[in-house]
Amino acid sequence: MNSRDLVELSGPASAAALTSESILVLPTGALEHHGPHLPLATDWLMADLISRGVVEAAAAEGQDVWLLPGLAYTKSDEHHWAPGTMWLNAETLLATVVDIGRSITATPAKTLVFYNGHGGNIALLQVALRELRRRFGLRTFLMGAGIVAGDGINGPDERGFGIHGGHAETSMIMHLRPDLVDLSKAERWIPDHMADLKYIKFNGGPVHFGWLSNDFGPAGVIGDATEANAAFGAQLYADAITNGVATLKEIAGFRHLPPS
Ligand SMILES: [Zn+2]
């Protein structure tokens, strides 16, 4: 199979390879503190490696999909206090993705998909989807590996909080890059005192609140990685590839208007 890295082609070859139906996938990760047990590049590794797996599997079944170089430096201001976190402020990141979108309009492609590995990017990328749609007419989408909190069945009950350095994320990195994980340093870091609140929820409830990762304690982790394991990570990875390929297929057929 030929490379699906768009920038490995020459300019003319890229213009010839792309069509109005081509899908460009742009990984967005983060370089940020993930506790003592995970590397700074955790979210970047997930975005980069899983998106590559998804694009290659989709291309192998004939989808017109291409990978762009990703953004490792993104919006990690919730971890600004921790050594090693490298972050862009919201205005910088929004301006960057808008500039990338503008550049895409010089190609035949009309569809841009962010493959995101960092929850802190989601709100901003949702804003970017509309900016890029309104300014440049691109079809824009946001997808990711879908890291969810441990439910007490597949790993410990993280009470909805396992979103940063927890069971799923740590298991995924143990699958992708086991050399970078030190599970002996993992603990259970769950803010139990707010788990039963009715309205103010940490993630996805009716009332949101502003937070920094050290608001919940000095570890800067939100989750329980103590039972993380590579086998669960491999299962998550396989699911991410399967779901990612199916998602791209749906994106390929997506139109805002019904067919005439
Ligand atoms: Zn992360």
Side-chain angles (χ1 to χ4, degrees):
M1 187 182 65
N2 294 325
S3 166
R4 284 290 161 160
D5 285 282
L6 187 72
V7 298
E8 292 187 357
L9 302 180
S10 70
S14 75
L18 295 176
T19 72
S20 62
E21 296 300 312
S22 297
I23 296 172
L24 304 182
V25 176
L26 195 165
T28 54
L31 304 175
E32 65 183 31
H33 174 79
H34 268 80
H37 60 301
L38 284 173
L40 294 164
T42 291
D43 292 353
W44 168 241
L45 289 168
M46 290 195 297
D48 185 37
L49 299 176
I50 303 172
S51 68
R52 179 169 296 278
V54 169
V55 166
E56 288 177 355
E61 52 170 64
Q63 294 196 47
D64 184 0
V65 55
W66 299 83
L67 196 61
L68 294 173
L71 293 173
Y73 299 85
T74 61
K75 187 178 171 296
S76 297
D77 50 341
E78 68 271 40
H79 311 289
H80 73 98
W81 55 273
T85 299
M86 311 272 172
W87 59 282
L88 307 179
N89 68 44
E91 292 82 359
T92 307
L93 181 56
L94 184 61
T96 300
V97 296
V98 166
D99 284 350
I100 293 170
R102 180 186 299 109
S103 307
I104 289 169
T105 64
T107 78
K110 302 206 175 314
T111 304
L112 175 63
V113 177
F114 295 106
Y115 194 97
N116 182 48
H118 170 48
N121 288 336
I122 290 173
L124 182 139
L125 289 174
Q126 287 172 331
V127 171
L129 299 183
R130 182 163 291 131
E131 284 292 306
L132 296 167
R133 176 90 193 125
R134 177 174 56 78
R135 294 194 195 191
F136 310 123
L138 295 172
R139 284 191 292 267
T140 50
F141 302 87
L142 171 60
M143 63 185 287
I147 295 294
V148 295
D151 54 8
I153 299 161
N154 285 311
D157 184 359
E158 294 177 300
R159 309 193 72 190
F161 291 105
I163 56 107
H164 183 67
H167 181 68
E169 197 169 60
T170 303
S171 295
M172 184 72 93
I173 300 298
M174 290 176 78
H175 169 64
L176 295 172
R177 287 295 303 272
D179 54 312
L180 302 182
V181 181
D182 183 354
L183 205 58
S184 72
K185 294 195 166 74
E187 295 174 38
R188 180 178 174 86
W189 292 288
I190 301 285
D192 286 301
H193 64 287
M194 60 178 73
D196 296 324
L197 296 179
K198 184 174 177 188
Y199 300 107
I200 306 169
K201 291 287 186 187
F202 183 72
N203 233 5
V207 178
H208 297 255
F209 65 100
W211 56 270
L212 303 169
S213 64
N214 59 346
D215 285 338
F216 309 105
V221 172
I222 309 153
D224 180 353
T226 54
E227 296 173 38
N229 60 89
F232 184 56
Q235 181 190 324
L236 290 175
Y237 178 82
D239 290 348
I241 301 300
T242 302
N243 292 333
V245 170
T247 301
L248 289 178
K249 201 170 193 172
E250 189 163 295
I251 286 172
F254 180 88
R255 293 295 181 272
H256 293 87
L257 285 170
S260 53

